[in-house]
Amino acid sequence: MTTLQTNTPWLIQDMLGEIGIKQKLGIVLLWLLTLFVFAGTVLQLIDPAAGILDIGILSVLILGLISGLLAIFCSIWLQELLWQPFKTFRKHLGNHFNQLTSWQLCVLYFSVFFLLVYAVLLCLIIVF
């Protein structure tokens, strides 16, 4: 007596692929949106003495994260929609980055560092 074993195929073949950056951003965005909606209830379940100010500060933090991720998501979407070569460039970014010389890498690192410092200073000016 021989046993016949068959491999059952996946119902959806697309589910076998990896999740892309857009899908990951979308999942995080939905999770943060759900957390934003239920932030007050969750905080009051954890700490019944939590006041309105605590819930408001938590909501502003989550809303800031949502708006930041939404800006990243929209910029990636618009860049790929309006400028098609960006999509292929982003997929092969590792090859392009490794071809840079050492002085080009230093210029790139320092420019990103100083732009981040400038952004932090501008945010501090806005806050104060």
Side-chain angles (χ1 to χ4, degrees), residues 34-88:
T34 305
L35 187 64
F36 175 71
V37 170
F38 296 111
T41 309
V42 170
L43 188 60
Q44 285 181 347
L45 286 175
I46 294 172
D47 184 16
I52 294 174
L53 185 63
D54 298 332
I55 296 170
I57 290 172
L58 182 64
S59 297
V60 167
L61 175 72
I62 296 171
L63 187 64
L65 288 173
I66 289 172
S67 53
L69 283 176
L70 192 62
I72 292 170
F73 188 71
C74 288
S75 67
I76 289 174
W77 174 67
L78 283 174
Q79 282 178 346
E80 288 182 357
L81 181 71
L82 299 175
W83 191 42
Q84 290 296 327
F86 180 75
K87 190 175 194 176
T88 56

Side-chain angles (χ1 to χ4, degrees), residues 2 7 9 16 24 26 34 37 48 56 62 67 70 73 77 79 83 100-101 103 107 116 123 125 127:
T2 59
N7 292 333
L16 295 175
K24 288 178 185 177
T34 305
V37 170
I62 296 171
S67 53
L70 192 62
F73 188 71
W77 174 67
Q79 282 178 346
W83 191 42
L100 296 175
T101 60
W103 70 270
V107 168
L116 285 174
C123 289
I125 289 171
V127 169

